[in-house]
Amino acid sequence: MSFLFGGVRGREDPELTAGNRRTRMHYARDVNDQRALADDRTTIRRGRNWTWLVVTVAVMAVLGFAGSRGAEEVPITADCVTPAIAVASSQVTAGQALRYRLTGPDDTAYVVTLDGVPVRGDAGSTVSYTATPAGPSLQLAQCLSPSLLLAAPAGDGPRELALLRLADDGSTRQVAAVTVLVRGTR
């Protein structure tokens, strides 16, 4: 890591250093540069390692900020009594991200289905799913889920995104649903 912080520069060739000094003095005499002729000390070579470090940190900070400005949260009010599901848009293009969010009691397990088929919304590592016979189930934290992503299915037409409550015996009951119109299938 010494190359980053101006460590050992390696061996300098004395003949090359002397040749460079002579050339500098010849140029100074040619243009009558009195300051260069009076100041015949060897110049201090400073590396640009700190400059590169600062530029790299600035670029990483900008990229980190730009990358974190993803899609906004799906608007839904937390309700710890009545389960509900909300989508970012009621119309999506096939294959694009369908963003949705859930609310309801946080002591209950839920399964989300799209046209009756259990699905697993992606929210990174903020949501953990449990495998059940009814499909992947999740529990809400503080009565609200983060925004979940799901690829919109192919095939034009209305699709039903439903929220099922999972009972202790493994049975499910639909507690909320929303219809999404999918377009753009060729």
Side-chain angles (χ1 to χ4, degrees), residues 115-185:
D115 290 338
V117 178
V119 293
R120 185 181 188 135
D122 183 25
S125 62
T126 58
V127 174
S128 60
Y129 286 91
T130 305
T132 66
S137 70
L138 72 145
Q139 286 193 326
L140 305 177
Q142 298 177 354
C143 304
L144 195 62
S145 75
S147 288
L148 301 165
L149 298 175
L150 180 67
D156 291 348
R159 304 293 181 152
E160 184 184 58
L161 189 64
L163 180 62
L164 309 177
R165 179 179 300 206
L166 184 64
D168 292 334
D169 63 356
S171 64
T172 59
R173 182 175 58 87
Q174 182 173 324
V175 291
V178 65
T179 302
V180 178
L181 183 61
V182 176
R183 296 181 186 231
T185 304

Side-chain angles (χ1 to χ4, degrees), residues 14-56:
E15 290 179 14
L16 179 63
T17 304
N20 287 340
R21 183 188 156 284
R22 280 192 305 273
T23 303
R24 219 175 28 257
M25 290 298 123
H26 282 279
Y27 288 146
R29 276 189 223 106
D30 286 346
V31 296
N32 198 20
D33 185 358
Q34 294 298 321
R35 193 187 78 191
L37 290 170
D39 189 20
D40 191 20
R41 291 179 288 167
T42 58
T43 58
I44 299 172
R45 290 180 36 199
R46 288 186 168 82
R48 298 185 186 260
N49 297 328
W50 288 107
T51 305
W52 284 114
L53 180 65
V54 168
V55 168
T56 303

Side-chain angles (χ1 to χ4, degrees), residues 76-77 79 82-86 101-105 110 140 145 163 175-177:
I76 189 170
T77 305
D79 186 349
T82 307
I85 186 168
R101 211 164 170 196
L102 312 171
T103 185
Y110 296 100
L140 305 177
S145 75
L163 180 62
V175 291

